[in-house]
Amino acid sequence: KVVLLSLLALLLAFATSFVLHKGNTSSLLYHSKSTSSVRKELERTIDQFNKLYASFYVTGGNSDALSAFPAANLVKRRIYQDINQWRDRGQWLIHDLHKQEISRVEVLSPGWAVVETRETWDLWLRDIETGKKTGRRTNAIQVRYHLARSGARWGVVEYEVFGPDEDLPAISEDLL
């Protein structure tokens, strides 16, 4: 009887904690997955982010895939503002991801993660009227992506860009 009551009390405490604590479902989902599967999810999110990022620039801001873009609304807005500035100049800035190496993946908490990459992008300007490409340039950078989980999906909430040889600073407390 004592064992049964103890188990019942433990179950009740767990259920109460689950109901009262914010983020309980994402925490439970997080802890039920292996570290390697979470890492793969984060890597896939960055791959999808970069593919759609390049696609938006190539199409001059076609928003058909916007709902599939794994990014917070402020990140989407920042990208579209940049696209529109280029469009106002009569040009599209074409991005082509040449190489991407993930150098760090760190889950900071059940709903927050950081992924750092080394990326090489080929950039061109394309005249909107003539379609002519000019000014091809290769751009090597490091990027620190800040990701948050919403339900079962990871999304980029911020990203920081650094030079290829820069030492990356500590993660800003403001971005956690």
Side-chain angles (χ1 to χ4, degrees):
K1 225 178 186 181
V2 172
V3 172
L4 185 60
L5 285 174
S6 298
L7 286 174
L8 186 59
L10 185 62
L11 182 62
L12 183 62
F14 175 75
T16 303
S17 174
F18 184 78
V19 170
L20 294 177
H21 287 76
K22 185 177 179 180
N24 45 36
T25 46
S26 64
S27 181
L28 184 63
L29 285 171
Y30 168 76
H31 288 294
S32 69
K33 293 188 172 191
S34 71
T35 304
S36 65
S37 70
V38 172
R39 180 184 173 94
K40 286 178 186 171
E41 283 179 33
L42 292 164
E43 290 174 356
R44 276 194 303 267
T45 300
I46 297 305
D47 287 341
Q48 183 182 22
F49 178 90
N50 281 330
K51 285 176 185 167
L52 289 172
Y53 176 88
S55 169
F56 293 141
Y57 278 91
V58 166
T59 63
N62 184 333
S63 59
D64 289 347
L66 198 55
S67 63
F69 190 43
N73 286 334
L74 286 176
V75 172
K76 294 176 187 180
R77 180 178 178 193
R78 185 166 85 194
I79 292 166
Y80 270 78
Q81 285 175 331
D82 188 48
I83 291 169
N84 287 328
Q85 287 175 351
W86 284 103
R87 185 183 303 138
D88 290 347
R89 294 182 202 131
Q91 298 175 316
W92 289 342
L93 178 62
I94 309 298
H95 292 71
D96 185 22
L97 183 60
H98 179 69
K99 183 179 179 184
Q100 173 183 290
E101 294 175 9
I102 294 179
S103 54
R104 176 182 175 199
V105 175
E106 184 176 348
V107 177
L108 304 172
S109 71
W112 292 94
V114 168
V115 175
E116 293 174 355
T117 63
R118 292 186 161 279
E119 301 174 4
T120 304
W121 291 83
D122 291 327
L123 307 174
W124 291 274
L125 291 176
R126 174 176 278 164
D127 185 277
I128 290 174
E129 288 186 24
T130 67
K132 182 180 177 187
K133 285 184 182 178
T134 60
R136 181 176 183 267
R137 183 178 139 214
T138 299
N139 190 28
I141 57 175
Q142 295 180 83
V143 184
R144 176 183 288 151
Y145 296 94
H146 299 264
L147 297 100
R149 180 188 283 279
S150 178
R153 183 177 170 190
W154 287 98
V156 175
V157 294
E158 181 60 87
Y159 60 96
E160 303 171 87
V161 180
F162 304 94
D165 300 320
E166 279 186 68
D167 291 331
L168 273 56
I171 298 170
S172 170
E173 293 289 325
D174 296 338
L175 297 173
L176 295 180

